[in-house]
Amino acid sequence: MSAILSPEQYLRYPVQVSLVDRSYRTPETQDTENESGCPPWICEQIKYSPRYEDPWVNALRSARFESINADLELLNGCEDPTNTYCVPVVNVMNSVVFKDDTPELRLLRSPRSKLLDYPVAVLYSGMQDICPFSETAHLQVDRWHKRTVPHDEQRKVKKRGRLDWTKVKKCLAVIVFLHPGELVLDDVCVEHNNVQITDVNLRRAFRTLMTAVQNTRAAVGILTDELTSLFVDYLPCQYDEDLPELVMVPPSTTDLRMLISSLIYYEANSWNLVRIHSTAARRFLHGAHMDEAFLKSFLDTFQVESKRWFSDFDLYTMQRVPELWFKFASWRQRVQEEGLKHLVSSGMSITFESDGFPRRHGLLRSPYPHRPLPQETVDSVLTYRERRPRNTTLDEIICKSRHTALVVQEAMRTGPEHFSQVFSAYVPGCSELVCVKLFDERFFCIPGVREDECISGPARSRLGSLHYSEDLARHEESVYYRLSYLQGTLLPHCYGFHLFTMPDGWQCYGLIMEKIQGLPLAQIFQTSAPAVQMSLISQMRHGVRALRAAGVSQRDWHLNQILCSLHGHEHPQIVLIDFGFSEVYVGDENGTPTTYDFSDVWGLLYLRLNVTRDTLDKHWLPPSEFEY
């Protein structure tokens, strides 16, 4: 039986483990094996922490939209534990994690035999002629390829250029498997950095592990009975004299596949072998250097004064030419002063070109289907909500005429330091009051302008936070398109993205949307009965899930974006607005960075609305994988 799973689902797939009878355990006094020739095991014991697993989980979630065709019978468990645990790790690393030009991760395993009591798995990358079970099978590699890499040798590596991994045998992990239930951590203790093991069988297994680790120069050695694990960790070692760490992993602390893969990922990432990462890629600013003639025209005062949009200024050049940056700041101050003389006010007439934005700019469209929603979320956002009707008359008016006028009813948010000017208005021929949102760049927040760059930072850094009106409009349009089935319930109805012309001749992009008859969430929540508060919390939880199922991340959550519609409902209904800074997943070559919508909204409820933890634990459902 097979199924399509995400990488994290694939590694976390549950395994059926049957415990063995441990009555055969041999007391220490019956151990007749000669150990006089065995070197002492010296390790520094530390407490288990998810320091390796946390970045690995984030990296996996960045690849959550990739898929693996999984053999469920193999994942569920088989007689050979190397198949159950190591094969899935190898598949994920090779298909999702490692770069294309990196040699594949390989699995070498030994069957049980009279000479080797336990199955041993070796996970390595590079040349295939490796045999870890002979004491003479040490890898012949340069000193700077060893698992302990001194800092001075690391610098030499960088000077030599990129490492050719096809010529290196790199052992990433050795795993020794015990019978389920055979590993008891109480049998292992560390005194003065010396490892003491009371059970004979467990001591033999640990000896097998350490021999294989030393012969292969493995980065990590793992001893596990599928439920409990301990691992010898050489990853933090920087010098040959550093002691490895012995880490004990109690039962139910972490999945074994996740433990193995997180340790391998850490080592592979330190050698720059991976293509998915736990953090988002930095924003690249495109452009090209201008020659002197073009640069002179950029700096010409008349040319600067004639510009009408932020995008008329080349961002790449502003980053590197302070003169153009200061001219841009001066231009923006001038147009803002002019705009303040003609702020949106009641009775003002504003014209707009229907669908003026999509006519001039490309639109974001995600090629990925929506994730199926749990029935409880479908009920919350659709089934149990009365859909607010769409105004077809307004649609007809906008479609019939290329240029239409509207009359401002009330200014709701205007003036400087806002990324949008918001007001209510009437469109002649339509009796319904609508809400209009304009992305007027004259009033945008921009990075501070100071000649003392030691205080405010260089322009090339500040300009990374400069926003263009077409970007905000494009983001918001993509969300309303992507979530069109939620317009009239969780979202307002959207009546298009247009090019607006102000009375003073200034043009900007904006949208017309349904005006929600209601109040902000904070105002409703504080004065509502407990039953209504619980309903609002539940609605918020399912609203966040619905957005993430469509690949939408709000990224800029605050209470003003959450309204409560009071129209035609027994209880107020959540309506989400303001998606100018949102993101829609449209495909990333190196994975999709995880988002924080789930925790951000949880924090809003807990910190801003003073909802107790007990209440949130009861009504705030744990996240599904696609919600990261």
Side-chain angles (χ1 to χ4, degrees):
M1 181 179 178
S2 63
I4 303 298
L5 303 176
S6 71
E8 186 175 1
Q9 291 173 332
Y10 184 57
L11 292 177
R12 290 191 186 275
Y13 197 84
V15 179
Q16 298 293 332
V17 179
S18 300
L19 297 179
V20 299
D21 181 13
R22 300 188 67 248
S23 60
Y24 66 89
R25 292 181 64 202
T26 307
E28 183 178 8
T29 56
Q30 297 183 20
D31 184 14
T32 58
E33 184 177 349
N34 181 14
E35 297 184 4
S36 59
C38 294
W41 304 314
I42 302 177
C43 298
E44 179 183 2
Q45 183 177 0
I46 67 167
K47 188 176 180 180
Y48 173 77
S49 70
R51 56 175 174 164
Y52 296 134
E53 190 168 344
D54 284 349
W56 169 231
V57 169
N58 285 334
L60 271 182
R61 288 172 181 168
S62 78
R64 61 194 177 276
F65 294 106
E66 299 198 33
S67 59
I68 296 177
N69 190 1
D71 181 349
L72 298 186
E73 294 182 0
L74 174 67
L75 292 179
N76 194 44
C78 59
E79 292 184 0
D80 186 353
T82 60
N83 281 333
T84 303
Y85 297 99
C86 297
V87 170
V89 171
V90 170
N91 290 342
V92 169
M93 290 294 166
N94 290 334
S95 62
V96 178
V97 179
F98 278 11
K99 293 179 179 178
D100 294 336
D101 57 351
T102 300
E104 291 185 346
L105 184 67
R106 298 188 178 95
L107 169 63
L108 179 65
R109 47 195 159 190
S110 71
R112 294 181 190 271
S113 66
K114 294 181 179 180
L115 298 177
L116 200 61
D117 294 335
Y118 304 99
V120 180
V122 177
L123 297 169
Y124 69 101
S125 177
M127 296 188 295
Q128 301 187 41
D129 55 340
I130 180 173
C131 181
F133 307 112
S134 167
E135 298 217 358
T136 61
H138 294 276
L139 301 183
Q140 302 302 314
V141 294
D142 292 340
R143 180 168 177 260
W144 52 279
H145 293 159
K146 293 171 60 178
R147 62 166 179 265
T148 54
V149 185
H151 291 298
D152 57 335
E153 296 294 347
Q154 286 180 334
R155 288 192 290 268
K156 294 178 182 178
V157 173
K158 295 179 180 179
K159 293 180 180 179
R160 297 179 190 179
R162 187 168 183 177
L163 178 63
D164 183 3
W165 280 95
T166 61
K167 299 179 180 179
V168 177
K169 291 174 285 188
K170 178 71 175 175
C171 184
L172 296 171
V174 173
I175 307 128
V176 175
F177 291 94
L178 303 170
H179 297 291
E182 193 173 359
L183 177 55
V184 178
L185 295 181
D186 290 341
D187 292 338
V188 183
C189 67
V190 178
E191 296 180 358
H192 307 292
N193 292 333
N194 291 315
V195 181
Q196 305 291 336
I197 302 178
T198 58
D199 181 66
V200 172
N201 294 314
L202 184 56
R203 185 159 61 244
R204 289 173 180 171
F206 192 77
R207 184 184 305 119
T208 300
L209 174 70
M210 295 303 291
T211 300
V213 168
Q214 291 166 5
N215 289 345
T216 60
R217 300 181 187 268
V220 171
I222 303 173
L223 180 64
T224 179
D225 67 353
E226 304 182 42
L227 300 173
T228 306
S229 303
L230 60 84
F231 63 90
V232 182
D233 183 6
Y234 287 91
L235 298 177
C237 297
Q238 294 294 336
Y239 295 95
D240 287 332
E241 61 270 16
D242 288 346
L243 292 181
E245 296 175 346
L246 182 67
V247 185
M248 301 184 184
V249 187
S252 305
T253 300
T254 184
D255 298 315
L256 180 55
R257 295 191 192 104
M258 291 295 293
L259 175 65
I260 297 171
S261 54
S262 65
L263 296 170
I264 292 176
Y265 176 81
Y266 182 88
E267 176 73 351
N269 187 40
S270 68
W271 290 94
N272 195 29
L273 303 180
V274 304
R275 66 180 181 88
I276 63 171
H277 300 276
S278 58
T279 55
R282 297 183 63 184
R283 177 188 177 197
F284 291 101
L285 306 177
H286 300 286
H289 272 302
M290 304 290 179
D291 59 29
E292 292 186 6
F294 279 103
L295 185 58
K296 184 176 181 180
S297 66
F298 262 88
L299 298 175
D300 181 75
T301 302
F302 176 78
Q303 293 289 340
V304 171
E305 295 297 321
S306 65
K307 297 184 184 301
R308 301 294 294 171
W309 304 87
F310 280 10
S311 56
D312 290 338
F313 293 84
D314 184 78
L315 184 58
Y316 186 91
T317 306
M318 280 199 295
Q319 284 185 304
R320 291 153 180 81
V321 182
E323 293 85 357
L324 182 59
W325 158 245
F326 288 116
K327 282 186 175 292
F328 161 75
S330 176
W331 168 85
R332 186 261 189 177
Q333 183 177 359
R334 180 183 62 80
V335 296
Q336 183 181 100
E337 291 173 353
E338 290 295 323
L340 290 174
K341 300 176 184 178
H342 305 279
L343 278 177
V344 172
S345 58
S346 178
M348 180 181 289
S349 178
I350 300 174
T351 61
F352 63 92
E353 178 189 336
S354 300
D355 295 326
F357 178 76
R359 285 196 180 98
R360 290 169 172 79
H361 297 280
L363 304 177
L364 287 176
R365 293 293 180 261
S366 173
Y368 297 97
H370 291 237
R371 295 275 163 165
L373 287 172
Q375 186 59 45
E376 56 189 353
T377 300
V378 174
D379 292 340
S380 176
V381 299
L382 291 174
T383 307
Y384 298 149
R385 294 183 58 136
E386 178 183 351
R387 182 177 290 274
R388 302 181 301 277
R390 186 177 180 88
N391 193 320
T392 55
T393 301
L394 180 58
D395 281 328
E396 292 176 0
I397 293 173
I398 293 175
C399 290
K400 282 183 179 179
S401 177
R402 182 72 175 268
H403 293 87
T404 310
L406 54 80
V407 179
V408 177
Q409 171 73 9
E410 178 186 5
M412 302 163 64
R413 184 178 66 204
T414 60
E417 303 305 309
H418 292 301
F419 285 104
S420 59
Q421 309 289 298
V422 183
F423 55 90
S424 59
Y426 284 106
V427 176
C430 178
S431 59
E432 181 180 341
L433 194 64
V434 296
C435 183
V436 181
K437 179 178 180 180
L438 303 183
F439 300 105
D440 192 337
E441 291 176 328
R442 295 177 296 181
F443 304 118
F444 276 15
C445 305
I446 67 169
V449 182
R450 299 190 59 160
E451 295 185 5
D452 186 358
E453 293 194 341
C454 295
I455 297 177
S456 58
R460 64 178 178 273
S461 299
R462 294 197 304 267
L463 284 168
S465 60
L466 183 65
H467 300 282
Y468 289 179
S469 61
E470 55 263 38
D471 294 332
L472 301 185
R474 184 181 289 109
H475 292 164
E476 189 132 9
E477 191 278 338
S478 67
V479 171
Y480 277 102
Y481 178 86
R482 182 75 168 165
L483 298 175
S484 57
Y485 79 104
L486 292 177
Q487 291 187 28
T489 56
L490 189 62
L491 270 67
H493 286 292
C494 178
Y495 296 97
F497 285 72
H498 316 293
L499 177 63
F500 292 81
T501 302
M502 309 301 288
D504 61 352
W506 185 265
Q507 290 186 318
C508 56
Y509 296 113
L511 69 149
I512 299 175
M513 56 185 169
E514 170 193 10
K515 189 177 189 308
I516 302 300
Q517 303 298 324
L519 296 171
L521 173 64
Q523 186 173 344
I524 292 288
F525 195 89
Q526 301 295 349
T527 58
S528 297
V532 176
Q533 292 181 346
M534 298 307 102
S535 173
L536 293 173
I537 293 173
S538 179
Q539 290 181 52
M540 280 303 304
R541 173 68 189 94
H542 293 293
V544 172
R545 177 180 283 176
L547 262 62
R548 297 301 298 129
V552 175
S553 174
Q554 170 58 262
R555 294 181 65 247
D556 185 37
W557 287 101
H558 52 78
L559 291 176
N560 292 334
Q561 297 167 323
I562 308 168
L563 302 180
C564 292
S565 173
L566 304 175
H567 176 70
H569 302 290
E570 181 181 354
H571 295 300
Q573 300 291 310
I574 292 294
V575 180
L576 304 179
I577 61 172
D578 193 2
F579 297 96
F581 291 98
S582 64
E583 288 184 347
V584 176
Y585 173 64
V586 294
D588 292 290
E589 179 181 339
N590 296 324
T592 308
T594 52
T595 59
Y596 302 95
D597 298 77
F598 178 87
S599 57
D600 286 348
V601 179
W602 189 97
L604 275 181
L605 298 175
Y606 179 67
L607 298 175
R608 300 295 301 278
L609 297 183
N610 300 317
V611 181
T612 64
R613 285 183 177 271
D614 291 341
T615 302
L616 287 173
D617 291 340
K618 183 177 180 180
H619 297 277
W620 198 254
L621 304 175
S624 304
E625 185 183 30
F626 65 75
E627 294 185 73
Y628 293 106

